[in-house]
Amino acid sequence: MTNRSTLSMLASAFVVTFVFATISAAQVAPPLDKIQNQQDLDRAGAALDATLFDSYNKCDLEKFASFFVDDVEFYHDQGGVTLGKVALTDSVKKNICGKTTRELVPGSLKVFYMKGYGMLETGVHRFHHPGHEDTEGVGEGQFIHLWQFKDGAWKVTRVISYDHHSAR
């Protein structure tokens, strides 16, 4: 096999992998107009939440950032306001990566339809400090995520993270 054939095969494999990964990511939740009932909406919200926070927990910042609009607004009861995807991603890099993981409290997720826009997601999450839970403990807080379906993608436009306290 020639170098040209090898390069061509590698390029083809890369393109197929990239396309498959893009399609897989796009299909984590159906488009807004394909959601027909509350069960579909609940599944979509749960899938988006799980995928978003998988990237958060793994510190996959590129994937994490892909879930937010450029001008996202993030309101935190203890940390204040963070404006913009770049600032939010930088904050996660500095304050979360390697220090904290997030777990959705089972049964706490609620998803509400927002006509012509997307969905509102609420719930309770716990924050763990791997390797340091004996000194830092487990935190808990509530959240609201406003998801918009636009241009073929689900993106978070607003976040409110509040009522942070030690887990009971």
Side-chain angles (χ1 to χ4, degrees), residues 92-101 128-132 136:
V92 168
K93 181 179 180 181
K94 290 178 183 174
N95 302 307
I96 301 299
C97 289
K99 300 173 189 167
T100 303
T101 59
H128 300 270
H129 307 280
H132 300 284
E136 296 191 41

Side-chain angles (χ1 to χ4, degrees), residues 28-129:
V28 71
L32 182 61
D33 64 351
K34 299 296 183 200
I35 294 175
Q36 300 298 313
N37 54 48
Q38 187 63 44
Q39 185 177 18
D40 290 351
L41 189 66
D42 290 342
R43 273 196 298 260
L48 288 164
D49 185 85
T51 306
L52 168 62
F53 282 99
D54 181 64
S55 66
Y56 173 97
N57 288 336
K58 292 178 178 173
C59 201
D60 183 344
L61 297 176
E62 185 175 337
K63 185 171 184 179
F64 176 79
S66 74
F67 286 99
F68 298 93
V69 294
D70 290 341
D71 61 347
V72 63
E73 295 177 10
F74 184 98
Y75 301 91
H76 193 283
D77 63 345
Q78 296 176 3
V81 178
T82 303
L83 300 175
K85 175 170 54 176
V86 172
L88 178 59
T89 304
D90 188 51
S91 180
V92 168
K93 181 179 180 181
K94 290 178 183 174
N95 302 307
I96 301 299
C97 289
K99 300 173 189 167
T100 303
T101 59
R102 183 260 198 182
E103 162 198 21
L104 179 66
V105 173
S108 71
L109 188 69
K110 294 181 181 172
V111 185
F112 304 90
Y113 177 73
M114 303 297 285
K115 184 177 181 176
Y117 191 84
M119 68 177 84
L120 182 79
E121 172 193 6
T122 69
V124 177
H125 45 204
R126 289 196 184 111
F127 297 93
H128 300 270
H129 307 280

